[in-house]
Amino acid sequence: MTADSENKQNKPSRKGARESLFLLVCGVVVAVLLQVFVFRLFWIPSESMENTLREGDGVVVDKLHGATERGDLVVFKGWNGEDTIKRVVAIGGDTVKCCDAKKRITVNGVPLDEEDYLHPDDFPSGEEFEKIVPEGRLWVMGDHRSASQDSRGHEEQEGEGTIAEADVIGRAMAIFWPLSRATFFSTPDTFTEDR
């Protein structure tokens, strides 16, 4: 075999290796851009959102979610500066109160039916409150209320326990891990009623 024929045989393999490397680099760049600007992965750090989310679950967070609405599961910069996930119960301008005669939380006087997501061994709230949520802020609560540090426990801070909409990183779209619990989230029916 001559040197020329050896070079011809090596050229296709080098070209293939370069193409594979290029595609790999492109894939990494696309994944990084999606992670930075569109999606984020978040691991559930505690039991405060059970049974909807369990400690160790992995969720996909949509960073381009648009306006935050009642019922959304949002990841935000928490009161202690750490990323936190809770359910939005009331938005700016709403009056949120606990509790009515049947021990239900109300938003603008309309009771919430929380059976779909509230932890089965829990109750809407152990303490009474009534707040008018300032514009541009959100009242958030965990689904496992007795194990959740949420708006109720931070009323002495700025916003009287509410969080700024600007602190929302994104809306949780789905559980991706573990695969046995993989599911997409939808807004509970109780939040689609007129308020």
Side-chain angles (χ1 to χ4, degrees), residues 44-174:
I44 304 306
S46 72
E47 63 183 352
S48 72
M49 288 300 297
E50 289 181 350
N51 280 342
T52 306
L53 298 168
R54 296 181 185 160
E55 189 172 352
D57 282 355
V59 298
V60 178
V61 177
D62 176 8
K63 294 170 110 176
L64 303 176
H65 60 91
T68 303
E69 299 179 0
R70 296 178 202 102
D72 285 351
L73 297 174
V74 294
V75 174
F76 59 96
K77 280 289 174 207
W79 298 274
N80 59 2
E82 293 180 5
D83 291 350
T84 305
I85 188 166
K86 300 290 179 203
R87 185 177 300 278
V88 176
V89 174
I91 59 175
D94 287 345
T95 299
V96 59
K97 180 179 179 180
C98 181
C99 288
D100 69 1
K102 293 184 178 179
K103 304 293 184 201
R104 299 172 298 185
I105 291 177
T106 63
V107 177
N108 301 327
V110 179
L112 295 177
D113 178 5
E114 300 189 284
E115 289 179 13
D116 289 346
Y117 56 86
L118 194 65
H119 191 283
D121 297 328
D122 222 333
F123 40 86
S125 181
E127 58 255 19
E128 294 185 357
F129 58 85
E130 183 171 2
K131 294 290 175 192
I132 297 174
V133 181
E135 292 296 335
R137 299 191 73 87
L138 307 166
W139 182 270
V140 295
M141 299 176 79
D143 290 354
H144 191 355
R145 302 283 162 79
S146 61
S148 178
Q149 283 294 315
D150 50 39
S151 288
R152 298 166 299 159
H154 296 89
E155 293 182 75
E156 74 288 347
Q157 295 181 340
E158 178 186 358
E160 297 184 351
T162 62
I163 62 161
E165 285 187 47
D167 288 339
V168 174
I169 296 164
R171 180 176 48 86
M173 298 172 43

